[in-house]
Structures are given as C-alpha cells and as structure tokens.
Amino acid sequence: MTSLMKTDIGASSNASPAAPFPERRPLDRLLSQLDQIADSSDHLIKKTFGQFESNGQSYNLPRYLFLGPKGGGDVIRIGIFATIHGDEPEGALALSRFVVALEKNPELAKGYCLFLYPVCNPTGFEDNTRHSRSGKDLNREFWNNSAEPEVRLLETELWTHGFDGIITLHADDTSNGLYGYVAGSVLSENLIEPALREAEQFLPRNTGSQIDGFDAENGIISQGYRGVLRGPWKLVRPPFEITLETPQKAPLHRQVEAFSAALQTILVEYRYLMAIAQNI
Ligand SMILES: [Zn+2]
C-alpha cells in the first residue's frame, strides 16, 4: 500500500549518477532457506521456471514442489502463491516456515503435491515495490490478456496443473488483523474459517464489517477485485480459492507463524472434507 513512498525513498537514498537503479534486494537471500532444504530433502524439489526479461535483465519465477507421502486416492494438487506484490515478502518467508514444518512432519502433506511459488513478482521484490518494475499491479492483470510476462507464466501454471486448491498470501499494511477472501468452490468457506481460527494463536482477526472496501464477516470477504491471481474461469469443478492476509505492521515472526498455521490447517481440513465426500 505504501509502495510509492517506499520507491521514492529507495531511489533518492541509493541512486547516484553511476548507478542507474536503486539498490536491489537480493532474491537469493529470501529463498536461501527453501534452497537449503531442497538440497537435502526427500520431499522438496526446486523447479524454477519461466524465463523473462525486464529492462534487459533476465529473470525466472521460483517454484518448489513438495511431494507428501502417498495417500489413499488421487494426488491432491494445491498451488500456493506469495509476493505477487513485491513489497510483501512475508508470504515468501512463511512458505519457508511452512516447509520446515512439513519436513518435520511430512504426514501433514500426505496425499498432496504442493506447488509453491514464493515470489511471483521478483522485480517488485528487488525494488521493494507493490508493482512490478514495468509499473503494473500484477494482481489486477489475470485472465485479461495481460502482456505482463509474470502473469502469462502464472496463468499457464494455473491452466496446466489443474489445481484442486489455490491459496494466495498477502500482507496488508492498512489492516490491524488477519482476514481473507474466498472464491471458487463452496468448500473455500469451510476451509478458511478453521485456518483463521488456528492463525489467531499468533495474531488477532480483523472483525470489521468492512475490510479493504468490501463487506466482511468475521474476517472473511466473498467478493474481490477483478484480475486477481485465481483459477481459470468456468471450470466444471472449480478449485477452492483462498487469499490470506496478515496485518503487515504486526511483528514479522507472528505473520510468518500465522500463515504457516493457516496453511497446515487447510491441508488437514481439505483432506478430511475429501474423505467425507468419498464416503457419501
Ligand atoms: Zn498484496
């Protein structure tokens, strides 16, 4: 939300005639824990994809796959997307924390293949801006013939993997508590409520009747902006879609723990709901 201000500060304090760009935040440092785990893990592999260019520099989108122990039925595929707003690295850090928890207790991911996208906006992360370096809010560009390479690459992921669930992580500097958006499958509401409840161990919930300009009930919003990262339209069996938002001004470790607890809860609850559905 304060991206413009941050950009201005970054540019004025770091720019010198010899340096055409403000100092950039290193992406590899943000991902170092995930990379370390992937090096030695039986479950986590790094599968970076999608090269693109920005101002003559080459970028990829980081992607990690976490394959849980085999479950009873079909593999459940969940895509988790973070840092589509470049100034919200909390979600990327939370994915590291989440993976640490899964490594300790892989049964949490039994039956799942998790597709983790910790940094969907690498240039925005480097510049510490909400928007990508091209000046676009990538989270308003989806499914609208966007020319932004990050959006096209992520749309292809959303098409090809046929996710059962899509979770996006955001941090909101205007909220004093946790909240979330639901869309897609009607199951989404059954998943977000226990997820928020679990996350409340670490941070309070935003109980306002209006959040981010939308009607909210117990921190849950059922509308949304056009062009946000979500599944393709008009699928016969739409995925559950959940956006989780932490209060960005709260202590970082609490946001990270809240996300990690919420994600673990969604895995447990969704597997449970699927088991019930199979027995009906
Ligand atoms: Zn955001």
Side-chain angles (χ1 to χ4, degrees):
M1 300 279 168
T2 55
S3 58
L4 289 174
M5 198 177 75
K6 282 179 191 164
T7 319
D8 290 341
I9 291 167
S12 59
S13 62
N14 294 316
S16 68
F21 298 112
E23 190 184 304
R24 288 175 180 173
R25 303 195 292 182
L27 196 59
D28 53 349
R29 203 185 300 162
L30 182 67
L31 299 173
S32 63
Q33 191 176 23
L34 280 171
D35 288 341
Q36 261 173 34
I37 295 169
D39 276 343
S40 58
S41 171
D42 293 334
H43 297 283
L44 186 73
I45 42 173
K46 183 168 193 177
K47 285 257 181 203
T48 293
F49 74 107
Q51 197 177 327
F52 67 96
E53 302 271 318
S54 173
N55 290 5
Q57 215 179 320
S58 182
Y59 287 87
N60 292 294
L61 289 180
R63 176 181 60 188
Y64 300 80
L65 268 55
F66 190 97
L67 202 58
K70 221 171 145 23
D74 293 340
V75 174
I76 306 170
R77 296 199 283 201
I78 310 284
I80 311 180
F81 301 83
T83 322
I84 187 92
H85 291 138
D87 59 352
E88 298 171 20
E90 292 81 359
L93 295 168
L95 284 180
S96 295
R97 179 71 190 86
F98 175 56
V99 166
V100 168
L102 297 180
E103 286 285 327
K104 264 194 206 136
N105 183 9
E107 289 293 307
L108 281 169
K110 188 174 178 175
Y112 284 100
C113 182
L114 305 174
F115 293 71
L116 311 175
Y117 304 83
V119 186
C120 298
N121 178 1
T123 60
F125 169 73
E126 283 189 338
D127 300 346
N128 196 14
T129 56
R130 175 184 176 91
H131 295 178
S132 69
R133 196 166 294 145
S134 74
K136 288 270 164 62
D137 183 341
L138 300 180
N139 206 35
R140 299 290 182 272
E141 290 278 313
F142 280 82
W143 309 115
N144 192 25
N145 282 319
S146 175
E148 302 305 305
E150 301 91 328
V151 172
R152 298 185 87 108
L153 290 164
L154 290 166
E155 283 176 347
T156 302
E157 291 291 293
L158 290 160
W159 262 119
T160 52
H161 297 308
F163 294 122
D164 300 283
I166 295 168
I167 306 170
T168 53
L169 307 180
H170 287 264
D172 180 347
D173 65 0
T174 67
S175 176
N176 55 14
L178 299 162
Y179 68 95
Y181 292 86
V182 288
S185 157
V186 290
L187 285 179
S188 308
E189 290 203 43
N190 301 99
L191 296 168
I192 196 171
E193 176 52 39
L196 286 175
R197 210 179 307 139
E198 206 63 27
E200 279 182 288
Q201 290 178 70
F202 304 100
L203 286 168
R205 198 187 298 216
N206 184 335
T207 53
S209 60
Q210 285 267 318
I211 304 175
D212 204 17
F214 295 109
D215 289 337
E217 210 177 317
N218 270 324
I220 301 170
I221 302 166
S222 314
Q223 299 151 280
Y225 292 103
R226 283 181 73 91
V228 298
L229 192 165
R230 56 171 304 183
W233 294 102
K234 294 181 182 162
L235 293 179
V236 180
R237 204 173 59 89
F240 73 78
E241 296 182 323
I242 292 176
T243 296
L244 296 169
E245 302 258 3
T246 52
Q248 195 174 31
K249 287 178 180 148
L252 176 61
H253 72 277
R254 287 186 173 271
Q255 295 180 64
V256 165
E257 293 295 340
F259 274 138
S260 177
L263 292 172
Q264 291 176 55
T265 304
I266 290 170
L267 296 190
V268 171
E269 293 289 324
Y270 186 70
R271 187 171 42 222
Y272 173 68
L273 292 173
M274 287 302 100
I276 293 176
Q278 270 169 9
N279 289 331
I280 289 172

